[in-house]
Amino acid sequence: MTTQLLTTSQQDLEKAARLIRGGGLVAIPTETVYGLGANGLDPEAVRRIFLAKGRPSDNPLILHIHDAARLPDFCREVPDAARLLAERFWPGPLTMILPVRDLVPKRTTGGLDTVGVRCPDNDATREIIRLAGVPIAAPSANTSGKPSTTTAAHVLHDMDGKIDAIVDGGPCRVGVESTIVDLTAPVPRLLRPGGIGPEALKALLGELEYDRAVTGEVAADAVVRAPGMKYKHYAPAAEVLIVEGSAEAAARYVRAHFEPGDAVLCFAEELPCFAGLNPTAYGREADPASLSAGLFAALRRLDDGQVRRIFARCPSGGGVSVATRNRLLKSAGFRTVNAETKPSPSGEGAEQSEADEGASGRGTADGQ
Ligand code: AMP
Ligand code: MG
């Protein structure tokens, strides 16, 4: 199959909508990451999404709608909390989990009796959904387990020849996936941090529990509320190790352990600390939105088959940084080392075993 490259001209959006209506696969730009879209009500079209990505079939897809008013079409119950959230955050990087109506195929929901729904903040994509006249089911448009795609070039790299078209809407503004909140739980539950910070959600909802998938590693055979969270994610071919502590302590640690084939992923402000180690900056520490926007592109740049190990710096703080930290931790298989407490080469044995222990717990199942 030849993958067509489309623009956001009205003519091309109509072409994209026709492809979707006809059961095809079209990569769509959103403010979070590129989505791999198909008619969410057509089980055969949805099946092709899983095939193109190599995605496990129990990992459900998010339904994208062009207007919050469509929510009751696909959800049996729409609680007040959902209306409030939609009013405040849509269009935007928030996915709500709600009870699903029967017209949504099991393939889309991974067999669950709930569905994730979102209204993306991208005019071109909302227009495609409107023109198609069906909700678009779309996971991130990357090969399963790899970092998500935030440019049309990334999508082409992973999906060329496997999908009908890619709509090039430029680089994604947020750069990490949507925040997922489960509104079917007794207390609203954060299943995945994302473009909307948890504090903003809590302020509106009054209460918010964090699912364990947000804070820690989940075994591949675990039964969890967000099935996608148990799989290996966002992982470049190289091993990622997060180095915590001050920039100076981190630079000392990295210099003591750096070997040929290693790389450094850091904040722009820290480039001088890592001078001589060919560091890659993914954004500015002082601008958390630049870090989320740049993370996946930087991980992909370092995923060139030459890099063996990536020493990565990870932001602290709330808002979108919760998501940036979550994605980096997952790409690292939760391997972290604190350069403040284990700064010197004399502590090498302890450092190594700490890193190795983290590595042994890493999920091996293929991810989304
Ligand atoms: P992706 O679009 O690739 O980020 O994948 C969609 C994410 O949404 C996955 O992590 C899914 O597990 C999650 N998701 C979608 N639908 C549901 C649902 N009904 N319940 C829980 N999580 C969901
Ligand atoms: Mg994904």
Side-chain angles (χ1 to χ4, degrees):
M1 161 188 313
T2 307
T3 300
Q4 296 179 63
L5 277 179
L6 301 178
T7 68
T8 53
S9 70
Q10 190 62 26
Q11 198 185 356
D12 277 5
L13 299 185
E14 281 165 14
K15 199 181 276 180
R18 267 198 307 279
L19 284 167
I20 294 282
R21 256 203 318 275
L25 296 186
V26 179
I28 50 174
T30 82
E31 80 283 25
T32 58
V33 300
Y34 274 75
L36 183 50
N39 176 356
L41 303 183
D42 176 348
E44 185 49 32
V46 168
R47 191 181 70 87
R48 295 179 57 218
I49 294 180
F50 286 90
L51 277 180
K53 284 193 60 140
R55 180 176 173 112
S57 61
D58 72 343
N59 192 353
L61 307 180
I62 292 170
L63 270 191
H64 294 72
I65 56 177
H66 78 282
D67 185 339
R70 299 271 66 85
L71 203 45
D73 298 358
F74 311 111
C75 304
R76 261 185 292 121
E77 291 156 40
V78 181
D80 289 345
R83 291 180 205 284
L84 266 176
L85 288 172
E87 206 169 289
R88 172 75 182 79
F89 296 114
W90 280 2
L94 178 71
T95 297
M96 298 188 226
I97 306 297
L98 292 165
V100 68
R101 283 196 188 280
D102 288 342
L103 86 164
V104 181
K106 292 279 177 215
R107 276 234 169 85
T108 301
T109 63
L112 298 173
D113 56 6
T114 56
V115 64
V117 186
R118 167 168 122 78
C119 178
D121 185 14
N122 183 290
D123 291 344
T125 282
R126 279 206 315 282
E127 178 66 357
I128 296 171
I129 302 168
R130 192 185 68 78
L131 290 167
V134 291
I136 294 188
S140 50
N142 52 279
T143 300
S144 202
K146 288 291 162 193
S148 301
T149 47
T150 55
T151 67
H154 295 159
V155 181
L156 192 65
H157 177 272
D158 282 21
M159 295 295 155
D160 194 12
K162 296 183 181 170
I163 64 176
D164 295 285
I166 299 169
V167 177
D168 187 349
C172 302
R173 172 173 60 81
V174 176
V176 289
E177 300 83 348
S178 58
T179 302
I180 303 181
V181 62
D182 184 354
L183 296 177
T184 67
V187 172
R189 206 170 178 80
L190 181 71
L191 300 186
R192 176 174 77 181
I196 304 285
E199 310 82 358
L201 277 188
K202 192 162 182 213
L204 199 90
L205 290 168
E207 47 183 1
L208 181 70
E209 280 178 357
Y210 286 35
D211 197 85
R212 68 197 161 99
V214 174
T215 43
E217 188 164 25
V218 177
D221 58 356
V223 176
V224 289
R225 292 201 68 87
M229 301 304 277
K230 71 190 179 197
Y231 293 112
K232 183 177 136 193
H233 266 80
Y234 320 117
E239 171 187 310
V240 179
L241 175 63
I242 294 174
V243 185
E244 292 176 322
S246 71
E248 293 69 28
R252 264 197 310 277
Y253 177 89
V254 171
R255 283 182 197 286
H257 294 86
F258 200 87
E259 291 171 6
D262 287 349
V264 175
L265 182 64
C266 66
F267 313 129
E269 292 94 326
E270 297 181 342
L271 286 170
C273 298
F274 294 103
L277 303 179
N278 193 23
T280 297
Y282 63 106
R284 295 180 57 241
E285 188 177 20
D287 178 9
S290 71
L291 294 172
S292 69
L295 177 64
F296 287 136
L299 283 174
R300 279 180 171 265
R301 269 203 304 284
L302 294 174
D303 200 9
D304 62 356
Q306 309 297 313
V307 178
R308 204 178 56 88
R309 178 170 58 171
I310 301 169
F311 293 104
R313 297 285 287 155
C314 189
S316 54
V320 74
S321 290
V322 179
T324 306
R325 204 159 51 242
N326 170 270
R327 305 307 190 268
L328 253 178
L329 276 165
K330 282 180 176 281
S331 74
F334 290 85
R335 275 181 298 248
T336 63
V337 63
N338 187 335
E340 303 274 353
T341 55
K342 293 185 168 65
S344 74
S346 60
E348 191 160 325
E351 289 155 30
Q352 232 13 75
S353 68
E354 178 174 308
D356 286 345
E357 259 168 43
S360 70
R362 189 173 192 173
T364 49
D366 204 6
Q368 58 174 9

